[in-house]
Amino acid sequence: MFSKEDIEQIKVKGISPETIEKQLEIFRKGAKHIKLYRSAVFMQDISDILSKDAVAMEPEFKVLSFIPASGAATRMFDNLYKTLAAINDVGEENFILKIDNDHQSAFTFFNNIKKFAFFDELDECLKKDGLNINELLKKNKYKIILEYILGNKGLNFGSKPKALIPFHKEKDRLKCAYEEHITEAAKYTKGKDIYLHFTLSPEHLNEFNENFFKIKDYYENQLDKKIHVETSIQSPSTDTIAVNPDNTLFRNSDNSLLFRPGGHGALIHNLNELDADFILIKNIDNVVPDSRKSLIIRTRLKMMDDFAQFCALRNEALHILENAIENKKEINLTLPESIAVTVLKLFPPDNYDTLEYNEKLNVLYNLLNRPIRVCGVVKNEGEPGGGPFVTYDNDKLSMQIVEKSQIDINNPDQVKIFESSKYFNPVDIICCTKNHKAEKYNLEIYIDHDAGFISNKTKDGKPLKALELPGLWNGAMSNWITIFVEVPIETFNPVKTVNDLLRPSHQ
């Protein structure tokens, strides 16, 4: 199947032929569907926040913020690209901007253009070339404005990572998305050090590092903390093979194999390299100005405080069980059972009550000896994306974040359960990737490798099938201990399109 050239191409990427064979088998058989048992229910599966006071983690704890920031911000400006294409199609003199009340429309964008943090920067770019933005708006010269926003003659936002897009303006200072993560992270530790890790595309790495170097001293003086920022890229070894609709190998015009990025699930390998007591995961675009951060910080601190208690209880139970196993002595299992079932919402096997003592001991130990995470969930208000569910696999129940693409949409019962969910996953996750002895887990052994999904794409006008790896907070963390807590909807303020920056939370 593979030529010598194919083998060399695969080798350069750091992928084994066996891995490619497994991917091809998924294409042939179809991706595995997640089986939903029921939607997660408040208090039965989803806790409210237990702690009353919001206190930062103690200095001896290393807290690290992990922010997936890969890729260009192209999708953020999709409505502007479409408008530019429409202008080019009909000619600027024939283009009429449709007047509407659509929050996401180009009309809304231009009608509120002065409210965007980057307006003054855009104005300066135009002035340098002898152009006046007010005159351009009056004369409906939208094409020039769009070219200066998206293209390299101006702001070049179409080629920047979302991390480097100015989201807000405070005290006459533009703040890019990643800067908001820095000022937020400063609130999550009492120590003098802030740790952040951003994942980026290779082409954006230098620009990001140069930008951070320029602002580092300013924020260290303002926050009175040392800022440690690390970056990493999605490894080429996590790319996946593409195939034709008939599952044969898709080849480029030069006859080489086509590989595609494996999606954010590939970042579990980046996460696996990090060393911290607690790792906070949040999307790059879910930020607000400092003036609006108080509820978000208070909520996150409560989550962290609760999570530290969850981890302490998990560790206590593991020490008790391990001591009993090593010393071969019989103990009362009531406390470890209560921690596993009541506190951590874990599901022992159905036959647990019928097991012998030593079998129960091992079941509890294996149930508790895994990476652990707490996931904030918000009330579902129609946002696209996944939610918290109880799922089952070979009669084994577990808590999972599930996307619609993971279920069998041809099964009406599964669709009904999915649509019944009252909660949404905003990606507000706190992880502990160490065991009760402070030893790091190997996160790769807890991935459900069958939990990826297949999507239909095109390349050079030709249809193809692409494989996405198990998502970072889906299949990549499938075999973790998962606890859901409800957090206020006001803590979720994503910027999926540029017009989202007009929402009150970003003004």
Side-chain angles (χ1 to χ4, degrees), residues 197-213:
H197 188 105
F198 296 87
T199 64
L200 294 150
S201 299
E203 64 270 24
H204 298 141
L205 210 54
N206 288 339
E207 185 180 9
F208 178 90
N209 288 329
E210 288 171 6
N211 190 286
F212 172 66
F213 181 78

Side-chain angles (χ1 to χ4, degrees), residues 61-101:
F61 289 125
K62 180 179 178 181
V63 179
L64 183 148
S65 295
F66 181 80
I67 299 103
S70 305
T74 310
R75 281 182 291 179
M76 179 176 168
F77 298 97
D78 185 57
N79 61 335
L80 301 189
Y81 274 110
K82 288 178 178 176
T83 302
L84 184 58
I87 293 172
N88 288 332
D89 281 346
V90 301
E92 192 171 33
E93 65 282 358
N94 298 318
F95 179 78
I96 298 174
L97 188 65
K98 180 184 175 184
I99 299 174
D100 57 35
N101 295 316

Side-chain angles (χ1 to χ4, degrees), residues 18 50 62 70 107 119-121 184 235 251 266 301 303 336 405 447 478-479 489:
E18 292 76 20
L50 305 177
K62 180 179 178 181
S70 305
F107 173 78
F119 175 79
D120 289 341
E121 191 179 12
E184 186 176 324
S235 171
R251 294 190 178 274
L301 287 173
M303 279 180 67
S405 59
I447 301 171
S478 179
N479 293 307
I489 186 67

Side-chain angles (χ1 to χ4, degrees), residues 252-281:
N252 294 306
S253 56
D254 62 359
N255 207 41
S256 63
L257 299 171
L258 175 64
F259 289 90
R260 295 175 53 85
H264 61 67
L267 300 181
I268 194 69
H269 305 286
N270 304 60
L271 191 67
N272 200 34
E273 297 298 315
L274 305 182
D275 187 9
D277 296 296
F278 298 97
I279 300 173
L280 318 182
I281 302 178

Side-chain angles (χ1 to χ4, degrees), residues 311-324:
C311 291
L313 288 169
R314 188 278 307 258
N315 292 347
E316 179 184 357
L318 282 173
H319 281 299
I320 291 170
L321 294 168
E322 189 171 73
N323 185 55

Side-chain angles (χ1 to χ4, degrees), residues 73-80 103-105 109 116 162 167 285 494-503 506:
T74 310
R75 281 182 291 179
M76 179 176 168
F77 298 97
D78 185 57
N79 61 335
L80 301 189
H103 171 73
Q104 300 295 355
S105 71
F109 174 83
F116 290 100
K162 193 180 279 190
F167 273 22
D285 60 12
V495 179
K496 299 306 177 187
T497 73
V498 64
N499 283 15
D500 287 336
L501 289 170
L502 296 172
R503 296 184 188 276
H506 293 285

